[in-house]
Amino acid sequence: MLEPTTQPIAMIQIIPISAFDDNYIWCLYDDISQQAVVVDPGDAKPVIAALDAMQLDLVAILITHHHFDHTGGIDELVAQYKVPVYGPRSDHIDQITHHLAESDTLSIMGLDFITLEVPGHTLDHIALYCEQADGGPILFCGDTLFAGGCGRLFEGNPAMMLSSLTKLAELSADTRVYCAHEYTLANLAFANAVEPDNQALQQRISQATGLRQQGLPTLPSTIATEIATNPFLRCHQTAVIDRAKQHRQDDCADSTAVFATIRGWKDNFSV
Ligand SMILES: [Zn+2]
């Protein structure tokens, strides 16, 4: 009897490359082909160092929005690797070679991504979601949804951002959330001010504190964890509504008003 041929199965690994003070440039790589993709390379130097150290070949760059800490490394990377750059149609990023709009798909290293437009932090913000990755769905959401928080509203309005966050909250609960900053402890301190009686939040705070004490990332998060503990995904919960009303000292008429209130509160919150 013939032995079955064993085909190596590609496993996509996802690792953070630290940049600036608290950015994560996510690097996806296939450990058989040694191909790699990076998401939001704000700085080329740590990316090149990581690729060289692991002998990886960059095959594409993915961009979520135009802010410089997400795009500043594109020119240097493209000069060295000559790879396509996928990202939103935006007046602010002229290096994008393949524009992605709502529902556009992208197949790369065996992963099929779908584009979600998630305006609010910026108007051009997109997120990339892959349902069939090893170990469950994955989401790259830049500065829209953070672990325990959400991005500031630099360009959009509260209704727009709430709609974008709701779209992400509707993804599969086991989706791993790869956001672009290590803001988790500060976000959870604010979440605790909003919902001091949330038991899931208390557990998350101790878990995240332990990870940071060991110098480890608190990411990825999951959609289920965010729904349970992130106040910006909980604007319909009684406890959050009551705290928003108390903070604003008026009647928050709907979820958008609740969201606007806690987003404004967070903007001025210090730990
Ligand atoms: Zn940003």
Side-chain angles (χ1 to χ4, degrees), residues 1-73:
M1 201 171 115
L2 288 172
E3 288 291 316
T5 322
T6 47
Q7 283 279 3
I9 298 167
M11 281 283 291
I12 301 297
Q13 313 287 335
I14 306 174
I15 57 165
I17 299 171
S18 294
F20 310 115
D21 289 338
D22 49 35
N23 283 67
Y24 290 132
I25 300 167
W26 292 105
C27 174
L28 297 76
Y29 69 93
D30 175 337
D31 53 11
I32 293 170
S33 70
Q34 296 292 104
Q35 293 184 329
V37 170
V38 290
V39 184
D40 287 352
D43 187 1
K45 286 183 178 54
V47 173
I48 293 169
L51 295 173
D52 285 351
M54 294 192 294
Q55 299 184 303
L56 298 173
D57 185 26
L58 189 68
V59 296
I61 294 170
L62 312 183
I63 299 295
T64 63
H65 69 294
H66 71 80
H67 284 158
F68 188 74
D69 62 319
H70 299 249
T71 58

Side-chain angles (χ1 to χ4, degrees), residues 19-24 26 65 67 69-70 121 142-152 154 179-191 204-205 208-209 212 216-219 226 230 232 263 266 269 271:
F20 310 115
D21 289 338
D22 49 35
N23 283 67
Y24 290 132
W26 292 105
H65 69 294
H67 284 158
D69 62 319
H70 299 249
H121 175 69
D143 290 353
T144 296
L145 174 62
F146 287 128
C150 73
R152 282 178 186 257
F154 286 116
C179 49
H181 288 272
E182 180 60 67
Y183 288 160
T184 312
L185 289 183
N187 285 339
L188 294 179
F190 175 72
R204 189 176 189 190
I205 289 170
T209 303
R212 294 310 292 152
L216 297 172
T218 58
L219 303 172
E226 296 311 320
N230 186 329
F232 298 101
R263 186 56 263 181
K266 172 73 167 69
F269 183 82
V271 182

